[in-house]
Amino acid sequence: MRVAILAHEQFPDRAKTALGILRYADYDVAAVLDRETAGGQVNDYVPDVQDAPIVAGMDALADDLDALIIGIAPIGGGLEDSWREDIRVALERGCDVISGLHHFLEDDDEFSRLAAEHGGELRDVRKPPEDLTVSEGLAGEVDAEVILTVGTDCSVGKMTTTMELARDARAAGHDAAVIPTGQTGIMIEGWGNPIDRVVSDFTAGAVEEMIREKGDEHDYLFVEGQGSIVHPAYSAVTCGILHGSMPDELVLCHTAGKEVIHGYESFSLPSIQTYVDLYESLAAPVSDADVVAGALNTAGLEDDAAAQAIDEFATELGAPATDVIREDTDDVLESLL
Amino acid sequence: MRVAILAHEQFPDRAKTALGILRYADYDVAAVLDRETAGGQVNDYVPDVQDAPIVAGMDALADDLDALIIGIAPIGGGLEDSWREDIRVALERGCDVISGLHHFLEDDDEFSRLAAEHGGELRDVRKPPEDLTVSEGLAGEVDAEVILTVGTDCSVGKMTTTMELARDARAAGHDAAVIPTGQTGIMIEGWGNPIDRVVSDFTAGAVEEMIREKGDEHDYLFVEGQGSIVHPAYSAVTCGILHGSMPDELVLCHTAGKEVIHGYESFSLPSIQTYVDLYESLAAPVSDADVVAGALNTAGLEDDAAAQAIDEFATELGAPATDVIREDTDDVLESLL
């Protein structure tokens, strides 16, 4: 599938979805749309992902695309007016448009008319399926070993860690699948339930449904975690994933040097040991799961400092740790598989 | 307002909403509908609430009702086909129908047609307001002391404890309000957000919004808790309420002799001490809150056994405990206020 990724004015640092797709998805990326960095190449900014030209808009691209993907998710999840023209052009060419915004494209009169007229599809990946319900408490019965990434905060690398570990496990010959729980994971994998958007009573159930769907087909399931168990706003989602997935093992994700909760700076992060104790003791009555490895995001640190930070993190955890982007995952996978 | 309460085949033991309304709401209850216990009186089963006849269906009632209330909430929150006839009759008589089911009455073609035709209103109290959003992490800033009921399982008395403590606190001259978070609380209080039905990302935010709305108008807020922090299906809701309400004090609710999670019997309850540790340690990074009292449901026990069970529960907690229905709440309130 040949796609363009819309990331106006936010590529690369604030375009988490675009980067996730460039790094992990099985798409042929024709271009990133960003009117601010237009003229450059993706690899000018991020070397270790699929390269593509950066262009100012859909008009700069040939008529050979299958889909336009909205690759940014602003606070609030709304649709910016300045993106409409590119979406309009894509739909007029018969492309699909794939979006993880809270604002559903299919509720937009103009877009749904254009999609119907030109045969494109509007795919709102953050719209949960209608048939979700409460958990039956059965995720623990699947054959697969379930490995869940948990975090000290949002945006500390849970999705990235999940993708890297699953990829490396497969490369080592294991039968491993990803259980995607957020919009980027869903776009990359092409399926999944957007857990942060389901009815709160169905949080665990929406995870369980995926575990039970895939759990007897694979040896390992890597579940994409969300948020943090002590996040003032998002802990409900984290807790529902923890109990709904009934993990066998946990990987704690953290960003080196992080001290307060992003966007909620009056709340300090507790110690790493406190996170380990909380995740393990909260999981225990439902499924015994230990933190058996760590993933530390060391972006921005020099090599020496990064290596030292990873060592310290591993010592705090009493378990192997790595930066999944910067280093290999051998020790971590050995601890997990 | 004169109402009938539908509780087919579940009155009294599995009709939590019906009982809550009989006990606390300001309605004139004409009858409880239960085809299994029909012919009896409410007080034959539950002595200390508003009495009413139990009848087999709407046909047995005179045409003087204002509303039919759905007084049961099965796991999953669906509408049973065997209730349709009573709802149909109520609507044909021009009654309102008040429901806390996940299945919204207003989405039912037949019911909405009948309501429109005969002038009744369909009131789905579990339908959240459209304007909810993520928590800002500010509930801790209100003037009021926030007291949250937490539980060892669903249906162990969190709503009842909240109502009794708030009522007794007011009777003792304190300025106390209830923050309703579930369908029964909302039906009783006439306002509130159905937390288990909001978008999961907004769980904490939907509680915070209520705390901030009422928190500077009262000295004490009694927040109705939901579920249990180790419930395989509902812990997300529990966790969102814990962090969204940022409580100052917790009251642990439990049912004497309960050993497994209702409906999920393969999961044993951990010890009382484990619950205390989990609730306190999970709250701590967001708001320091200790379990300072306990509420034990001793229904079904003889007086001596009940007194002994309450004593043992208090000892396990290291804090005063009571059965809020059976005994007074003096010691518990002294510990809280």
Side-chain angles (χ1 to χ4, degrees):
Chain A
M1 198 160 98
R2 192 161 165 82
V3 305
I5 307 175
L6 186 152
H8 283 307
E9 292 157 32
Q10 302 197 40
F11 191 83
D13 291 341
R14 288 172 298 150
K16 191 166 109 165
T17 299
L19 274 183
I21 289 164
L22 286 162
R23 201 183 292 281
Y24 301 113
D26 221 8
Y27 299 134
D28 171 21
V29 179
V32 167
L33 313 187
D34 182 350
R35 60 178 74 90
E36 213 163 88
T37 46
Q41 289 283 128
V42 163
N43 283 173
D44 298 343
Y45 299 91
V46 191
D48 54 353
V49 302
Q50 177 178 173
D51 199 17
I54 306 175
V55 303
M58 283 294 294
D59 290 336
L61 295 176
D63 192 5
D64 64 347
L65 293 184
D66 299 304
L68 173 66
I69 297 175
I70 311 299
I72 41 186
I75 287 170
L79 177 80
E80 304 276 327
D81 269 345
S82 66
W83 308 347
R84 293 193 76 91
E85 179 60 19
D86 286 317
I87 297 172
R88 197 179 293 132
V89 171
L91 288 171
E92 283 168 354
R93 293 183 185 180
C95 292
D96 296 346
V97 180
I98 304 172
S99 162
L101 299 175
H102 273 304
H103 173 100
F104 296 141
L105 297 180
E106 65 174 41
D107 294 341
D108 187 290
D109 289 342
E110 184 188 14
F111 295 155
S112 47
R113 185 178 52 75
L114 285 173
E117 210 170 302
H118 299 277
E121 204 190 329
L122 299 173
R123 290 163 56 188
D124 289 299
V125 303
R126 211 163 193 167
K127 186 161 204 169
E130 300 279 338
D131 59 351
L132 296 176
T133 185
V134 298
S135 169
E136 296 181 59
L138 297 175
E141 296 186 0
V142 301
D143 292 339
E145 188 97 349
V146 175
I147 298 160
L148 170 66
T149 49
V150 293
T152 58
D153 196 359
C154 297
S155 298
V156 294
K158 291 177 290 290
M159 189 275 289
T160 302
T161 301
T162 303
M163 295 294 167
E164 292 283 335
L165 292 179
R167 188 168 69 176
D168 290 355
R170 283 191 293 256
H174 297 285
D175 178 3
V178 166
I179 302 294
T181 62
Q183 73 265 24
T184 307
I186 294 169
M187 286 182 187
I188 293 169
E189 295 290 317
W191 74 288
N193 292 331
I195 302 301
D196 63 0
R197 182 77 195 200
V198 308
V199 166
S200 87
D201 235 10
F202 303 163
T203 310
V207 181
E208 177 188 67
E209 188 250 329
M210 295 191 287
I211 300 280
R212 293 182 73 192
E213 187 183 329
K214 299 290 180 186
D216 294 331
E217 293 172 13
H218 301 278
D219 294 331
Y220 297 98
L221 298 183
F222 286 89
V223 182
E224 178 195 6
Q226 297 289 339
S228 138
I229 200 61
V230 297
H231 194 286
Y234 303 126
S235 64
V237 177
T238 311
C239 191
I241 295 175
L242 182 68
H243 288 143
S245 65
M246 300 195 179
D248 299 293
E249 293 172 321
L250 305 173
V251 179
L252 183 64
C253 303
H254 180 52
T255 294
K258 176 180 263 297
E259 289 179 353
V260 295
I261 295 178
H262 176 73
Y264 298 78
E265 279 78 11
S266 63
F267 297 93
S268 298
L269 299 195
S271 71
I272 294 300
Q273 189 55 52
T274 299
Y275 279 105
V276 171
D277 291 345
L278 277 176
Y279 280 115
E280 291 183 351
S281 60
L282 192 58
V286 176
S287 71
D288 250 317
D290 290 338
V291 174
V292 299
L296 190 70
N297 179 348
T298 62
L301 293 187
E302 298 296 320
D303 284 350
D304 284 358
Q308 191 187 332
I310 293 168
D311 275 352
E312 285 169 8
F313 187 52
T315 304
E316 283 180 289
L317 289 175
T322 189
D323 179 325
V324 296
I325 296 294
R326 193 163 199 153
E327 305 202 340
D328 69 58
T329 59
D330 296 353
D331 292 351
V332 163
L333 281 180
E334 195 179 330
S335 168
L336 286 168
L337 307 184
Chain B
M1 201 160 98
R2 191 161 166 82
V3 305
I5 308 176
L6 185 152
H8 282 308
E9 291 156 32
Q10 301 196 41
F11 190 82
D13 291 342
R14 300 305 311 159
K16 190 165 101 164
T17 299
L19 275 183
I21 289 164
L22 285 163
R23 202 184 292 281
Y24 301 111
D26 223 8
Y27 299 133
D28 171 20
V29 179
V32 167
L33 313 187
D34 182 349
R35 60 177 75 91
E36 215 163 86
T37 46
Q41 288 284 130
V42 163
N43 282 173
D44 299 343
Y45 299 91
V46 191
D48 54 351
V49 304
Q50 177 178 174
D51 198 18
I54 306 176
V55 302
M58 282 294 294
D59 290 336
L61 294 176
D63 192 5
D64 63 348
L65 294 183
D66 298 304
L68 173 66
I69 297 177
I70 311 298
I72 41 186
I75 285 179
L79 177 80
E80 303 277 327
D81 268 345
S82 66
W83 308 346
R84 295 193 75 92
E85 179 60 19
D86 287 317
I87 297 173
R88 197 180 293 133
V89 172
L91 289 170
E92 283 167 355
R93 294 185 185 177
C95 292
D96 295 347
V97 180
I98 304 174
S99 162
L101 299 175
H102 274 304
H103 172 100
F104 296 143
L105 298 180
E106 67 174 41
D107 294 342
D108 187 289
D109 289 342
E110 185 189 12
F111 295 155
S112 48
R113 185 179 51 76
L114 285 172
E117 213 170 297
H118 299 278
E121 202 189 331
L122 298 173
R123 290 163 55 190
D124 290 300
V125 304
R126 212 163 190 168
K127 186 159 205 169
E130 300 280 338
D131 59 351
L132 296 175
T133 186
V134 298
S135 169
E136 295 180 60
L138 297 175
E141 296 186 1
V142 301
D143 292 340
E145 188 97 348
V146 175
I147 298 161
L148 171 65
T149 49
V150 293
T152 58
D153 195 359
C154 298
S155 300
V156 294
K158 292 177 289 290
M159 189 274 290
T160 302
T161 301
T162 303
M163 294 294 167
E164 292 284 334
L165 292 179
R167 189 169 68 175
D168 291 354
R170 282 191 293 255
H174 297 285
D175 178 2
V178 166
I179 302 294
T181 62
Q183 71 268 23
T184 309
I186 295 169
M187 286 182 189
I188 294 168
E189 295 289 316
W191 74 288
N193 292 331
I195 302 302
D196 62 2
R197 183 74 199 198
V198 308
V199 166
S200 83
D201 238 8
F202 303 163
T203 310
V207 182
E208 177 187 69
E209 188 249 329
M210 293 191 288
I211 300 280
R212 293 181 73 193
E213 186 183 329
K214 300 290 181 184
D216 294 332
E217 291 171 14
H218 300 279
D219 294 332
Y220 297 98
L221 298 183
F222 286 88
V223 182
E224 178 196 6
Q226 297 289 338
S228 139
I229 199 62
V230 297
H231 195 286
Y234 304 127
S235 65
V237 177
T238 311
C239 190
I241 295 176
L242 183 68
H243 289 143
S245 65
M246 301 195 178
D248 299 293
E249 294 172 321
L250 305 173
V251 178
L252 183 64
C253 303
H254 180 50
T255 294
K258 176 180 262 297
E259 290 180 353
V260 295
I261 295 178
H262 176 72
Y264 298 78
E265 278 78 11
S266 63
F267 297 93
S268 298
L269 299 196
S271 70
I272 295 300
Q273 188 55 53
T274 300
Y275 279 105
V276 171
D277 291 346
L278 277 175
Y279 280 115
E280 291 182 351
S281 60
L282 192 59
V286 176
S287 70
D288 252 318
D290 290 338
V291 174
V292 298
L296 189 71
N297 179 347
T298 62
L301 293 187
E302 298 296 320
D303 284 351
D304 283 359
Q308 192 186 332
I310 293 167
D311 274 353
E312 285 169 10
F313 187 53
T315 304
E316 283 181 289
L317 289 174
T322 190
D323 180 326
V324 296
I325 296 294
R326 192 163 202 154
E327 305 203 340
D328 69 58
T329 59
D330 295 354
D331 291 351
V332 163
L333 281 180
E334 194 178 331
S335 169
L336 286 168
L337 307 184

